Amino acid sequence: MNNAKFATALHILTLLDLAKGQRLSSEWIAGSINLNPALVRKEISNLRKLGFISSKEGNGGGCMLARPSAEILLSEIYKAVRTPPLLGRSNTPNPSCIVGRQINEHLDELYTEAELSLTSKLEKKTLKEFGEKFKSVS
């Protein structure tokens, strides 16, 4: 992947799933991901806007999953946070070249096929199933 948005979102949501309804602070989550808490808060805000997380500010605050992890598909998370393109960007090739004048068209087709392959695999796994690979949050 060309960025860490999906990995970060999946890390945050998996932590919240394993917390079993207990609210986790952005600082605690940031410590697990090893990221600046401000960046984690930004991602939490995004995930809240997308309907994956609910949060409460102040004493006893933090965030938790907004819906059951068994109802959240990994493809849903990927589609919500992805920043296309999956395999990178094409360039502005020489239109006089036999490859250059056709490359972007063929790359677009290839990228679309790769994206469909990835999302079809992610559609078969829920956040709950992914979270079962880990031990409980302590």
Side-chain angles (χ1 to χ4, degrees):
M1 230 180 252
N2 60 353
N3 67 53
K5 285 187 80 61
F6 178 67
T8 301
L10 190 54
H11 194 140
I12 292 168
L13 294 171
T14 301
L15 287 170
L16 296 177
D17 179 35
L18 295 178
K20 307 288 184 216
Q22 178 183 4
R23 292 188 183 276
L24 299 179
S25 71
S26 57
E27 289 79 15
W28 192 92
I29 294 169
S32 175
I33 302 174
N34 201 24
L35 279 179
N36 182 306
L39 294 173
V40 171
R41 281 190 287 278
K42 183 177 179 183
E43 198 56 40
I44 286 171
S45 176
N46 184 43
L47 291 169
R48 186 179 62 245
K49 289 176 190 169
L50 294 167
F52 293 110
I53 290 177
S54 67
S55 61
K56 177 183 172 191
E57 295 194 21
N59 190 21
C63 54
M64 57 191 288
L65 289 179
R67 30 190 261 248
S69 61
E71 296 176 10
I72 300 172
L73 296 174
L74 297 187
S75 60
E76 200 179 344
I77 300 165
Y78 172 75
K79 289 174 185 176
V81 303
R82 82 178 186 18
T83 51
L86 175 65
L87 297 176
R89 301 198 188 290
S90 56
N91 57 13
T92 309
N94 181 346
S96 299
C97 172
I98 189 168
V99 174
R101 71 175 159 261
Q102 299 177 55
I103 189 74
N104 288 332
E105 174 186 336
H106 297 302
L107 283 174
D108 288 345
E109 183 180 311
L110 179 65
Y111 292 178
T112 299
E113 289 173 13
E115 183 97 15
L116 289 172
S117 178
L118 172 65
T119 55
S120 71
K121 177 131 176 107
L122 294 175
E123 284 172 352
K124 296 176 180 148
K125 191 167 294 272
T126 65
L127 177 61
K128 180 176 176 54
E129 292 167 327
F130 185 78
E132 289 171 349
K133 298 174 182 273
F134 305 91
K135 298 187 188 263
S136 295
V137 174
S138 52

